[in-house]
Each structure stands twice: as C-alpha cells, then as structure tokens.
C-alpha cells in the first residue's frame, strides 16, 4: 500500500497490553475499515527475540500497521524490512511513550528532543522498505512544549520524508507522572494540532487524545485529516459498529449529520469471535488472552455488568473453556 491508499480517517491507537492480535481480530469483525495498530514492538524484541511471535498477525486484520520502538536507524531499518515481508501496511515509529522503561532505552517521547535522530530513523526505514513510514508523537516534552518546538520537530522529520504525523494532543512528562497519568493529566491541546495542519497543509495530520466517540471524530475531521481513538474502544468496542457507514462511506462529513445504524449485530460478532477463540484454543492458546477483549462489548446494555463479572470470574480460571463464554452470554442473550 502507499500513503494514498491507506484511509486514516479513523484508526485505533497502539496500546500496550490491549491491541494484541486477538483484540485486533475482534475489532475487525466490528469494522472493516478502521486502521488497526499493533502494540509497540521494540527493535530489540524483533532482532534479538522471537521475531515471528512478535510480527505474526491474521490476514483478516488488514489494513494493519506495526508500531516500532527504537532509536537506532540501522536496527529500525532491519525491522521495517521484516515487517514489510510479513505484509504490514504501514510502519509507525513511537515518539510519544513516556514510560521510564522506554526512556531508558532512549526511545519514545524523549526522542521529541532529538528531531535529527528521528529524521535519521525515518530516512533509514524508508530506504529499506516500500511501506509508508509514519510518526506518532506528543505535542511536547516537559518544558519543551511550545508550538515553535513542535513546529520545528515536524519540519525536521518531514524533511526526511515523513508525510503522516499522528499527534497525541498532550505533552509528555518524562518524570513526575506515570505512563497512565500521562494519558489524562496533561491538558489536551487540540488547537496545536489544528494549527499544524494549517501550517503544513501538504502533510497528513492525525489527532489523538481524549476522543470518546464518532460524533467527536466527525468534529475533529473538520480540522485535520484523521482521528485516532484509544481507550474508549477498549472500554466499548461497539462504538465502532457505525464507523464504516458514518465515517468511511462519505467523501465529506458534515459535523451535524446523524450517526447511522450498525451494519453488524453483536450476536453475529460474538459468534464469529467464539469460532476464532475455539480455533486458537485447539492450537494451545489460553482463553483469558482472548476472552478479556469481550468485556466491554455490551457496555450500557441490560445484563452487561453480570456478563463482565461472569466472564472475568470464570473465563480466567486455569484450563477454562468456551463453556464459560457461553454461560456469560446468557446474561445478554436477548440483545
């Protein structure tokens, strides 16, 4: 795929411990169009560990992008080549994670303070694979959070050939806040992201951070090229049920247009996902790794709390089977 052929109007953020291949498969059953991202995978994990374990994915997940973590251009170039061989549609470089472990490896958000290094990484990956290479960053780091600093970062990395920037519209604190707190405490700065699009009209600018649903998505799309949603989809995967029609079926999106009805049914999605889970169980995988992603599927519906509770208590047991999922379904079977 090329940058022009990937529709980034709505994507699902890379989230550690969430956007694994089972979660991505479930989301693809709900929406055929949203762009999916892997969890961040470090260059060291691929080059020094079990590369196949980290890189494998189900062909049904397309379009799917891999997010890499690292700061060594040569190492990232090798990873990009492997990711291309595995069939990913995009390579994304993490320049936004504020965790201490990531920072100690000299990648993630701290790289925003080294735009020349990021540019070198982008250039090396582009020279070694034909996939689009994108960057996900914050609006700033610690006290280096002015718009001028952000503008210079984008300008430097764009000069190396990057055409797509995903901006989490909060700055990152490298000390004093946990990674979890960094997702909510720094103030949202949507205006900075909007301003980037005005200053760099030829670049594709995607906004991320604090976006909870499709109506907010449609509002942001009046200002930028795409929206990335994160935790809201983990809490309630079904919010994407209307996405294909509401977001992707139109060349323009009036902010006031209504959200349409889902094109799929929960019962259909869960039936197909149960078949998927059984097939993986037969291959030796454990049920909890897959069933946990169902917890929010019925959020706001009658019986949802009992469904989540039963699923959490019984599907997480040692040697649990699909029977636990079937019994949990009894609480919401009328939906």
């Amino acid at each position: 795929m090329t940058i022009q052929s990937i529709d980034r109007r709505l994507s699902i953020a890379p989230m550690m411990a969430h956007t694994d291949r089972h979660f991505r498969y479930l989301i693809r059953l709900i929406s055929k169009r949203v762009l999916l991202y892997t969890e961040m995978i470090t260059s060291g994990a691929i080059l020094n560990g079990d590369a196949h374990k980290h890189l494998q994915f189900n062909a049904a997940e397309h379009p799917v992008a891999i997010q890499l973590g690292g700061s060594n251009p040569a190492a990232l170039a090798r990873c990009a080549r492997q990711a291309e061989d595995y069939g990913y549609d995009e390579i994304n470089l993490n320049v936004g994670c504020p965790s201490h472990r990531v920072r100690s490896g000299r990648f993630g958000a701290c790289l925003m303070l080294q735009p020349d290094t990021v540019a070198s990484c982008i250039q090396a990956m582009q020279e070694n694979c034909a996939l689009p290479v994108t960057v996900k960053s914050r609006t700033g780091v610690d006290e280096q959070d002015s718009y001028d600093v952000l503008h210079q970062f984008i300008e430097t990395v764009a000069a190396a050939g990057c055409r797509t920037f995903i901006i989490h519209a909060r700055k990152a604190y490298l000390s004093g806040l946990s990674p979890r707190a960094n997702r909510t405490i720094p103030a949202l700065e949507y205006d900075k992201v909007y301003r980037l699009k005005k200053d760099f009209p030829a670049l594709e600018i995607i906004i991320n951070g604090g976006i909870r649903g499709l109506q907010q998505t449609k509002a942001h799309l009046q200002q930028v090229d795409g929206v990335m949603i994160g935790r809201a989809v983990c809490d309630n995967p079904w919010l994407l049920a209307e996405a294909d029609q509401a977001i992707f079926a139109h060349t323009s999106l009036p902010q006031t247009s209504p959200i349409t009805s889902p094109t799929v049914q929960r019962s259909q999605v869960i039936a197909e996902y149960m078949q998927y889970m059984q097939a993986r169980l037969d291959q030796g995988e454990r049920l909890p790794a897959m069933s946990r992603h169902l917890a929010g599927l019925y959020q706001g519906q009658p019986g949802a709390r009992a469904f989540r509770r039963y699923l959490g208590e019984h599907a997480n047991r040692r040697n649990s089977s699909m029977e636990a999922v079937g019994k949990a379904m009894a609480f919401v079977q009328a939906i």
Side-chain angles (χ1 to χ4, degrees), residues 237-253:
W238 198 248
L239 71 83
L240 297 174
E242 297 91 355
D244 290 3
Q245 180 64 27
I247 304 298
F248 294 100
H250 309 280
T251 54
S252 62
L253 290 170

Side-chain angles (χ1 to χ4, degrees), residues 46 57 257 275 325:
I46 294 173
F57 66 94
S257 63
Q275 292 178 3
V325 181

Side-chain angles (χ1 to χ4, degrees), residues 87-332:
Y88 283 95
D89 299 308
E90 174 192 316
I91 310 288
N92 178 262
L93 181 63
N94 185 318
V95 191
C97 182
S99 80
H100 296 296
R101 185 174 70 87
V102 166
R103 187 179 64 190
S104 67
R106 297 196 309 149
F107 55 95
C110 66
L111 283 179
M112 286 200 73
L113 303 177
Q114 304 174 50
D116 290 334
T117 297
V118 177
S120 296
C121 292
I122 295 298
Q123 185 174 358
M125 287 188 282
Q126 289 181 326
E127 289 175 350
N128 281 271
C129 79
L131 299 179
V133 180
T134 67
V135 165
K136 186 172 189 292
S137 74
R138 295 288 187 118
T139 55
V141 175
D142 293 333
E143 301 310 312
Q144 299 297 312
D145 62 347
S146 70
Y147 180 76
D148 288 344
V149 170
L150 176 61
H151 186 284
Q152 182 181 3
F153 172 81
I154 299 295
E155 189 173 51
T156 301
V157 179
C162 184
R163 312 313 299 164
T164 300
F165 292 85
I166 304 160
I167 312 294
H168 185 161
R170 307 178 197 269
K171 75 174 184 177
Y173 287 97
L174 297 183
S175 59
L177 284 183
S178 68
R180 182 173 183 175
N182 260 290
R183 296 197 297 264
T184 56
I185 291 178
L188 286 163
E189 300 179 297
Y190 293 145
D191 288 346
K192 281 187 177 180
V193 185
Y194 296 165
R195 186 176 173 186
L196 282 178
K197 182 58 189 175
K198 291 179 180 178
D199 288 351
F200 297 96
L203 298 181
E204 188 175 33
I205 304 296
I206 314 297
I207 197 167
N208 170 234
I211 302 165
R212 301 296 300 178
L214 298 187
Q215 290 290 8
Q216 287 179 301
T217 295
K218 293 167 75 174
H220 284 297
L221 286 172
Q222 308 302 309
Q223 305 288 337
V224 291
D225 300 299
V227 171
M228 177 177 276
I229 299 181
R231 303 288 157 177
V233 174
C234 295
D235 297 339
N236 179 18
W238 198 248
L239 71 83
L240 297 174
E242 297 91 355
D244 290 3
Q245 180 64 27
I247 304 298
F248 294 100
H250 309 280
T251 54
S252 62
L253 290 170
Q255 184 176 338
T256 57
S257 63
I259 298 299
T260 55
S261 299
T263 56
V264 293
Q265 301 298 318
R266 284 186 180 89
S267 57
Q268 173 190 348
V269 167
I270 202 164
E272 292 187 36
Y273 192 64
M274 287 176 75
Q275 292 178 3
Y276 169 86
M277 288 191 290
Q278 185 61 63
R280 299 304 174 277
L281 285 173
D282 293 343
Q283 296 173 359
E285 297 194 40
R286 295 182 64 249
L287 183 64
M290 299 176 284
S291 62
R292 67 189 182 97
H293 297 307
L294 290 171
L297 194 64
Y298 288 90
Q299 186 184 91
Q301 299 298 310
R305 183 175 297 178
F307 170 77
R308 289 194 302 270
R309 182 171 58 247
Y310 191 93
L311 198 67
E313 291 176 356
H314 296 274
N316 285 327
R317 292 179 177 177
R318 182 178 179 84
N319 298 324
S320 54
S321 70
M322 290 299 297
E323 182 181 5
V325 181
K327 289 184 176 180
M329 283 297 299
F331 294 100
V332 289

